[in-house]
Amino acid sequence: MREAAFVKQNKEKWIAFEKAIHFNTKIDPDQLASGYIQLTNDLAYAQTYYPESKTLLYLNSLASQAHQRIYKNKKESRHRILDFWTTEFPLFFRQYHKTLGFAFLIFAVATAIGSLSVLNDDSFVRLILGDAYVNETLNNIAKGDPTAIYKGGSEIGSFLGITINNIRVAFLAFSFGVITSLGTAYILFSNGVMLGSFITFFYTQDVFLQANKQIWLHGTIEISVIIIAGCAGLIMGNSILFPKTYSRRISFMKGAKDGLKVVVSTIPFFIIAGFIEGFITRYSHMPSWLAFLIIGSSLVFVIFYYILYPILLQQKHDQRPA
């Protein structure tokens, strides 16, 4: 679009907004925020297509004034954090369910490959997990406690170390999206192969049920949320590959922001997983019914919050009168 046509199309909107700012007109904070979003979109468009133009200077100045007005007058709800977790994020995440499906598919295929590889080649698990880990686990199996490795260290120390490491993996899966979706796909794939090799290794040692009963206590949330973090990375990576109507730079900025929001949402879940691994998984002789109750509850919790609840919330939102 030519600059003159762009100005003509939006001139009246800008002038109305400018008058509201200059004459200190009383505006509802939410309406002001909505107008500001439109203004910043126009500003981004001007930065892309009309650099160093008078239009860009004008919009920059107006956006700066609007920013000051918004943060001076808009009052945040005292329930802002609660609203984010219960309403804002689930509604936002609904649009990325298909991307989550792709992340799950990549991880599931990789897990199957890792599992089949171990079944067909005993040495594959050593290649993936390392000789030290495999040898220690074999010793633990011989002693009758396949998951004894989770009992090392203090409970609090294990909790903190595990939680920090899990968050690191999540941000790694997200950050690799900066080299397009292929980067995140690689992280998902490598972790999937590792998981498939890991759980199948116990099957080859005839302790599959005994070991997995303990592993999935924390692993249910941990693995689920790694996939969700992978979804965040795919969101950012796809924004580079498929910018749609945006410039590639603007699309990337939007994708990075959306992906970061998703990966931040996983932090409380990783804390829960770390708590379970640090304080509960070490009790390998707990009743099977209790272990499966924790595993089942964890799975239902994740599926409900990230899949079912956003769908229900979206349906409820769509049914509201306009």
Side-chain angles (χ1 to χ4, degrees):
M1 182 188 300
R2 295 174 64 87
E3 183 179 358
F6 174 68
V7 173
K8 183 178 180 180
Q9 177 179 314
N10 297 285
K11 182 178 179 180
E12 292 184 5
K13 176 179 65 178
W14 296 340
I15 291 175
F17 194 75
E18 183 178 19
K19 286 181 178 179
I21 297 297
H22 285 172
F23 292 105
N24 203 29
T25 305
K26 290 186 177 180
I27 309 176
D28 179 79
D30 290 330
Q31 292 181 346
L32 184 63
S34 177
Y36 177 68
I37 290 173
Q38 295 180 39
L39 179 64
T40 54
N41 287 338
D42 292 339
L43 174 61
Y45 187 90
Q47 287 174 328
T48 302
Y49 296 103
Y50 319 119
E52 301 181 5
S53 67
K54 292 182 179 180
T55 302
L56 178 59
L57 292 175
Y58 168 75
L59 292 176
N60 226 340
S61 174
L62 188 56
S64 177
Q65 296 172 54
H67 182 274
Q68 294 176 8
R69 176 79 182 274
I70 289 172
Y71 285 91
K72 177 181 177 182
N73 292 298
K74 187 173 181 181
K75 295 180 180 179
E76 292 288 353
S77 168
R78 287 178 294 180
H79 307 293
R80 179 70 179 83
I81 296 178
L82 181 63
D83 289 342
F84 172 81
W85 294 106
T86 60
T87 304
E88 181 182 333
F89 176 78
L91 279 173
F92 157 81
F93 189 66
R94 176 69 180 93
Q95 65 184 304
Y96 291 118
H97 273 182
K98 184 179 291 187
T99 307
L100 178 62
F102 282 119
F104 174 78
L105 183 62
I106 293 169
F107 193 88
V109 169
T111 302
I113 291 174
S115 180
L116 290 172
S117 297
V118 172
L119 289 174
N120 288 280
D121 183 359
D122 292 340
S123 64
F124 185 79
V125 69
R126 292 183 176 274
L127 177 65
I128 299 299
L129 300 178
D131 288 332
Y133 182 89
V134 171
N135 291 336
E136 182 177 355
T137 302
L138 287 173
N139 288 332
N140 291 333
I141 292 173
K143 296 174 183 177
D145 192 357
T147 56
I149 197 168
Y150 293 111
K151 298 180 180 180
S154 67
E155 293 177 337
I156 294 178
S158 297
F159 162 61
L160 292 175
I162 291 163
T163 300
I164 292 171
N165 181 67
N166 288 342
I167 292 174
R168 181 190 65 81
V169 173
F171 274 91
L172 185 67
F174 166 64
S175 63
F176 264 55
V178 78
I179 53 176
T180 75
S181 307
L182 296 177
T184 294
Y186 167 75
I187 297 297
L188 285 171
F189 190 87
S190 59
N191 277 273
V193 170
M194 186 180 299
L195 175 66
S197 302
F198 180 63
I199 60 177
T200 306
F201 169 62
F202 289 107
Y203 173 79
T204 62
Q205 301 301 314
D206 298 321
V207 290
F208 181 80
L209 183 61
Q210 182 184 355
N212 279 273
K213 181 184 71 173
Q214 299 305 122
I215 293 167
W216 289 104
L217 284 171
H218 62 273
T220 301
I221 292 179
E222 188 175 294
I223 297 303
S224 298
V225 183
I226 285 176
I227 294 172
I228 293 165
C231 170
L234 292 181
I235 291 170
M236 180 165 65
N238 288 343
S239 71
I240 302 172
L241 295 176
F242 313 109
K244 299 181 180 177
T245 58
Y246 298 99
S247 68
R248 203 170 297 277
R249 183 176 68 87
I250 297 300
S251 176
F252 171 71
M253 291 172 62
K254 181 180 182 300
K257 181 180 178 181
D258 287 358
L260 183 61
K261 185 179 291 187
V262 173
V263 81
V264 166
S265 79
T266 67
I267 293 177
F269 290 88
F270 275 129
I271 292 174
I272 295 172
F275 177 85
I276 293 174
E277 187 170 352
F279 290 89
I280 299 177
T281 302
R282 63 180 59 234
Y283 297 107
S284 57
H285 299 296
M286 71 169 62
S288 295
W289 68 266
L290 179 58
F292 289 122
L293 178 63
I294 295 173
I295 293 169
S297 299
S298 299
L299 182 61
V300 168
F301 182 38
V302 173
I303 291 176
F304 176 76
Y305 184 73
Y306 280 100
I307 299 177
L308 298 180
Y309 183 57
I311 293 174
L312 295 173
L313 204 60
Q314 182 66 58
Q315 290 175 345
K316 182 179 178 180
H317 186 269
D318 291 342
Q319 290 171 0
R320 290 180 180 177

